[in-house]
Amino acid sequence: MESIFSVESSSQMLRSLKSSLRDSPMRRLANLLLRCDNSGENLPVELRDQMNAFSDHTIDDFQKKAGRFMHNLDVHQKEHGRVHVHTEQEVEKLIDLFPSSLTYLDDRGKLPVQAINKSKKFIPLLAHKGMIRDVGGKGMRGGLLCEIPRDRQKKNTLQSIANTFNFKAIETHDKELLGILQSLYKRGLLVKKDIQDMS
């Protein structure tokens, strides 16, 4: 009886070990922090304070990394030897996890939605998510109406997008940019007056 119990216990421990090895580093860290948090006052005060400080620093670091990432959405990662192009679903998930990434300013003071040359196809998504969270302030359409920092002509984001678009040669010009404007219009982020002002 004793030997059977011992074998079962060993088997359970082995399964538990295998399961923990399969877990990602993030899951292992989350589980560890959760166990520590559940231990509460049973942990030494010094260690608990250090772990809280570590957690605050880690959260802050994650938010900064997410913010920097939002300014370089066109940079493709290599994954398993292949070039991985970021998808709208990935970016949306990142925003949902780190909403503050939408307001992260780069070294020129630009919002992610203003990084027009680096994230063209994601502008409608960034603006839509930004409007929900009042990025740039109320009524600023998620940062589309915010002035581009250091722009000599004092253009806002929307005007800057339009500036790269040749309306007189709309049939032959950048289809991607036309798609962006159409997507903004469908989401209510581009109104008829904007189009008239651009023409």
Side-chain angles (χ1 to χ4, degrees):
M1 193 73 176
E2 227 175 282
S3 62
I4 292 171
F5 180 75
S6 176
V7 169
E8 285 180 351
S9 297
S10 299
S11 179
Q12 285 175 348
M13 285 176 64
L14 189 60
R15 282 199 299 270
S16 177
L17 180 60
K18 283 180 179 177
S19 175
S20 68
L21 289 172
R22 281 197 305 268
D23 286 343
S24 69
M26 281 192 293
R27 187 180 293 275
R28 293 203 301 274
L29 176 60
N31 287 335
L32 173 63
L33 291 175
L34 189 59
R35 290 200 304 274
C36 292
D37 190 53
N38 289 337
S39 298
E41 295 177 2
N42 294 325
L43 283 174
V45 175
E46 298 90 340
L47 182 60
R48 193 170 68 240
D49 288 347
Q50 287 175 4
M51 296 190 92
N52 279 325
F54 167 79
S55 299
D56 282 339
H57 174 77
T58 302
I59 290 168
D60 186 53
D61 190 46
F62 279 175
Q63 288 175 335
K64 286 178 181 175
K65 280 181 168 60
R68 286 194 289 269
F69 179 84
M70 294 288 279
H71 282 275
N72 294 285
L73 295 176
D74 67 332
V75 177
H76 302 152
Q77 305 286 328
K78 280 203 170 181
E79 189 176 16
H80 307 301
R82 296 180 180 177
V83 174
H84 174 73
V85 180
H86 302 305
T87 66
E88 192 165 297
Q89 288 79 7
E90 289 174 341
V91 176
E92 188 168 12
K93 177 59 72 176
L94 179 69
I95 294 169
D96 291 340
L97 286 169
F98 301 102
S100 63
S101 63
L102 288 169
T103 57
Y104 188 87
L105 303 178
D106 68 5
D107 55 1
R108 294 177 62 84
K110 287 184 178 182
L111 294 163
V113 75
Q114 294 177 318
I116 295 162
N117 295 326
K118 293 186 177 181
S119 58
K120 270 186 192 176
K121 70 176 183 179
F122 297 107
I123 288 172
L125 173 65
L126 298 181
H128 173 69
K129 289 286 189 177
M131 187 169 67
I132 294 169
R133 294 170 174 83
D134 290 328
V135 169
K138 278 192 175 293
M140 299 304 282
R141 295 191 221 161
L144 288 177
L145 300 183
C146 291
E147 188 178 299
I148 299 282
R150 305 184 190 182
D151 187 273
R152 291 179 182 178
Q153 296 176 319
K154 306 290 183 185
K155 289 181 179 177
N156 63 32
T157 311
L158 196 55
Q159 290 167 335
S160 188
I161 294 168
N163 193 50
T164 63
F165 195 88
N166 182 359
F167 281 86
K168 292 179 181 177
I170 199 164
E171 295 84 2
T172 58
H173 204 63
D174 190 353
K175 287 183 179 178
E176 182 188 23
L177 207 46
L178 177 58
I180 289 166
L181 294 174
Q182 288 173 336
S183 181
L184 289 172
Y185 184 75
K186 285 176 184 175
R187 293 173 190 247
L189 294 163
L190 182 70
V191 297
K192 287 183 179 179
K193 188 180 183 304
D194 297 325
I195 298 169
Q196 289 166 357
D197 291 343
M198 290 175 188
S199 305

